[in-house]
Amino acid sequence: MNKIAISGANGFVGKNVGKFLARNGFEIVSLVRKGRTKTVDFGRTIISKNLTENSLIGSVKGSAAFLHFIGKGRQTVSSDYDTVNVSLTRNAIILCKKAGIKKIIYLSGLGVDQKSTLGYFISKFKAEQEIIQSGLDYTIFRPSYIIGKNDPLSQILSSQLSRDSVIIPGSGRYRLQPILVSDVAKVVMKAIHGKQFSRKIIDLVGPQAVTYNRFVRDLIGDKAQIKYVDFEKAYHDALHSSVSPFGVDDLSILVSDYIGDYGKLVSISGIKFTKYGEMLQASCLS
Ligand SMILES: NC(=O)c1ccc[n+]([C@@H]2O[C@H](COP(=O)([O-])OP(=O)(O)OC[C@H]3O[C@@H](n4cnc5c(N)ncnc54)[C@H](OP(=O)(O)O)[C@@H]3O)[C@@H](O)[C@H]2O)c1
């Protein structure tokens, strides 16, 4: 039972986890969209439009778990949260059932809960509920910012470096709790077979909470100037400007100061997590 199916295998997390599992003896079946196969250089890659093709069943059969890593944090008219985050999770569950895969591992988001009012979080909560009510065994992780080469948050910063200044919306005193992607891969590997992960929702957060101010300064050093932007302007730009580094939901999540339960993650996983200072070295901006 060392076979694993991964949806969204060409994404930042999918690639990192897939490579790590392949190095650790897992046979990987990667499900990606047409045109995205070349970016996956581990395991066997299969093209799927929306996880509903019957031809997928035979390919993923025998997998110990389905790692559902498809997700979207900015919606458009043609690709909204409900279609991507909720419907594709429903399709993943149906595929698991048809293929006899008993376990699904899902990446939700830190801060998601029943009282969420943000569109992105509502879609993640609905996806979580689909999984919980599916009857499958599951581990739902709620990650803070996952850091590594080409991670989405460093890319937001990197895109601003070329413009000589990096924006901090509002005060920058809100916190995040970054976790290194290689540690995420270790946790996911343990969750595949570890009984202690069964039917659990677990925050996926690093050892230290840092303010966005500090995070940006630590990452960019003297590569660019920092420009504080009034939150009202940042929000206006997020809504109306195609060159805004943030989308409205990115911005709302960033300033919400979500801090997770690191102690629970350590006690369930037994992993020694990379310290904040060391994880910065892995970012593409270091
Ligand atoms: N990275 C983080 O810090 C972080 C934090 C919290 C939660 N998460 C969650 O973790 C998961 C993976 O994140 P990531 O950082 O790896 O994101 P990513 O790099 O943007 O990857 C997203 C993946 O989803 C696929 N996808 C998006 N829309 C799709 C669609 N309509 N149909 C099929 N596939 C689609 C993408 O495929 P294409 O390349 O074909 O678009 C890609 O493989 C997501 O659910 C995300 O919400 C990530």
Side-chain angles (χ1 to χ4, degrees):
M1 283 292 270
N2 261 2
K3 181 172 168 183
I4 294 296
I6 309 181
S7 69
N10 64 319
F12 164 64
V13 179
K15 265 192 221 167
N16 280 281
V17 172
K19 273 186 196 162
F20 179 80
L21 293 178
R23 278 202 305 274
N24 281 278
F26 283 84
E27 177 194 343
I28 314 286
V29 179
S30 298
L31 307 180
V32 298
R33 286 198 280 189
K34 201 173 173 185
R36 310 294 214 274
T37 51
K38 286 203 180 111
T39 56
V40 180
D41 56 1
F42 51 86
R44 189 167 146 228
T45 305
I46 295 177
I47 292 172
S48 170
K49 192 165 176 232
N50 53 17
L51 308 179
T52 58
E53 302 86 347
N54 278 331
S55 56
L56 300 178
I57 299 169
S59 306
V60 299
K61 214 181 192 89
S63 298
F66 190 97
L67 313 187
H68 185 47
F69 290 164
I70 289 177
K72 205 162 176 69
R74 273 194 208 189
Q75 62 183 342
T76 61
V77 169
S78 60
S79 176
D80 60 47
Y81 291 147
D82 216 48
T83 311
V84 181
N85 294 343
V86 187
S87 298
L88 291 180
T89 300
R90 208 173 288 133
N91 294 351
I93 291 166
I94 293 168
L95 177 59
C96 285
K97 289 187 173 174
K98 283 184 178 167
I101 301 173
K102 298 210 169 349
K103 168 124 197 184
I104 183 162
I105 296 177
Y106 180 60
L107 298 183
S108 178
L110 185 66
V112 168
D113 73 14
Q114 196 162 14
K115 297 195 188 99
S116 297
T117 53
L118 195 67
Y120 170 70
F121 275 5
I122 289 170
S123 70
K124 287 287 191 183
F125 182 77
K126 283 185 181 171
E128 288 185 355
Q129 291 302 307
E130 291 282 347
I131 290 169
I132 292 166
Q133 285 157 22
S134 69
L136 296 173
D137 189 7
Y138 65 85
T139 307
I140 293 170
F141 290 109
R142 289 180 173 163
S144 180
Y145 293 90
I146 303 174
I147 303 298
K149 201 168 182 307
N150 297 324
D151 69 80
L153 184 56
S154 304
Q155 284 190 331
I156 285 180
L157 294 174
S158 168
S159 69
Q160 298 173 69
L161 284 179
S162 54
R163 284 176 243 147
D164 295 331
S165 64
V166 169
I167 288 167
I168 293 190
S171 71
R173 287 200 292 269
Y174 36 84
R175 295 164 301 164
L176 48 149
Q177 206 170 353
I179 181 167
L180 191 63
V181 71
S182 54
D183 287 344
V184 168
K186 286 180 198 162
V187 177
V188 169
M189 187 167 83
K190 287 206 166 199
I192 292 167
H193 292 299
K195 292 271 175 287
Q196 71 276 29
F197 288 88
S198 182
R199 296 182 185 277
K200 292 228 164 54
I201 301 180
I202 303 166
D203 294 343
L204 200 51
V205 293
Q208 194 177 335
V210 290
T211 64
Y212 192 60
N213 265 329
R214 175 167 173 201
F215 180 74
V216 172
R217 285 174 196 282
D218 287 343
L219 267 185
I220 67 164
D222 54 9
K223 290 193 190 84
Q225 284 193 324
I226 289 173
K227 196 168 139 197
Y228 285 87
V229 173
D230 180 68
F231 188 74
E232 189 176 330
K233 171 159 177 26
Y235 194 80
H236 184 274
D237 288 349
L239 267 175
H240 300 290
S241 164
S242 59
V243 294
S244 164
F246 302 101
V248 276
D249 287 353
D250 298 332
L251 204 52
S252 305
I253 293 167
L254 186 67
V255 302
S256 292
D257 198 46
Y258 289 119
I259 299 303
D261 190 346
Y262 174 66
K264 180 177 169 186
L265 177 65
V266 172
S267 88
I268 290 179
S269 68
I271 288 173
K272 194 169 179 295
F273 287 88
T274 308
K275 294 200 174 90
Y276 169 68
E278 291 161 33
M279 85 177 67
L280 294 175
Q281 310 301 318
S283 155
C284 59
L285 298 175
S286 296

